[in-house]
Amino acid sequence: MDINVNQVDDQTFELVFDKTTVPILIEDMERLHYQLSSILRPATVQEKKARNLAFLARLKFATDNGIQALMRTASHDDILVLLHACERDMVLKKKFYGNMSENSMKMYAEDLVFQFRKGMPDYRFDEAMTRLLKTVE
């Protein structure tokens, strides 16, 4: 079987199986990538999880200036993922919200409820953490 992937535009790809073409959105492509990686390279996925947890742990000791710089540099969506990931970690949650204005806190709180009402898929956490780690390097 001949299998190919083509990028149509920034948000759409095509999966081509012989003569059958299936359009797929980038979110679905990211989910598929995460699932394939979990099956084909489980050690790599475990390494990424450990790296992500270590990053979250290091953020607890970041200075306020460092947190503010991260929040200015990273995308809004990646900060949302980060805030969602640290919802149960009161130290980290306090550190982030303590470095926001009242308006920013309200905006992020509303966006968290809206975007993650059904939870956060693993692939989305993984992709956001990869971008955040590149931001701080």
Side-chain angles (χ1 to χ4, degrees):
M1 178 184 290
D2 188 32
I3 301 172
N4 291 299
V5 177
N6 302 316
Q7 186 167 2
V8 176
D9 57 42
D10 288 347
Q11 297 296 314
T12 311
F13 291 84
E14 294 177 329
L15 297 178
V16 182
F17 303 95
D18 288 326
K19 294 181 182 179
T20 304
T21 301
V22 179
I24 184 168
L25 295 176
I26 193 166
E27 295 86 14
D28 296 324
M29 182 64 88
E30 289 171 344
R31 186 177 322 117
L32 178 61
H33 176 262
Y34 184 81
Q35 291 171 350
L36 288 170
S37 295
S38 296
I39 293 167
L40 299 173
R41 294 182 177 83
T44 302
V45 172
Q46 291 305 316
E47 288 171 11
K48 280 185 174 183
K49 285 182 180 181
R51 182 193 67 201
N52 294 343
L53 291 175
F55 175 65
L56 291 173
R58 284 194 326 264
L59 285 175
K60 290 181 186 183
F61 302 103
T63 64
D64 287 345
N65 288 339
I67 295 294
Q68 291 166 12
L70 175 63
M71 293 176 71
R72 279 191 309 270
T73 309
S75 75
H76 179 81
D77 285 346
D78 289 349
I79 296 297
L80 277 177
V81 169
L82 191 55
L83 290 171
H84 183 73
C86 71
E87 277 187 332
R88 292 189 184 103
D89 186 329
M90 295 316 251
V91 172
L92 201 47
K93 187 175 177 179
K94 184 178 177 182
K95 184 170 281 282
F96 277 103
Y97 284 110
N99 280 289
M100 290 183 196
S101 68
E102 192 72 30
N103 287 339
S104 290
M105 280 192 273
K106 288 179 185 177
M107 180 182 62
Y108 277 111
E110 289 173 4
D111 288 350
L112 279 168
V113 170
F114 176 74
Q115 286 203 22
F116 300 115
R117 62 188 173 275
K118 295 181 182 178
M120 180 174 33
D122 289 340
Y123 77 89
R124 186 161 178 199
F125 174 75
D126 184 59
E127 294 292 324
M129 292 300 286
T130 298
R131 287 186 297 270
L132 287 164
L133 282 161
K134 286 180 184 176
T135 299
V136 300
E137 289 177 345

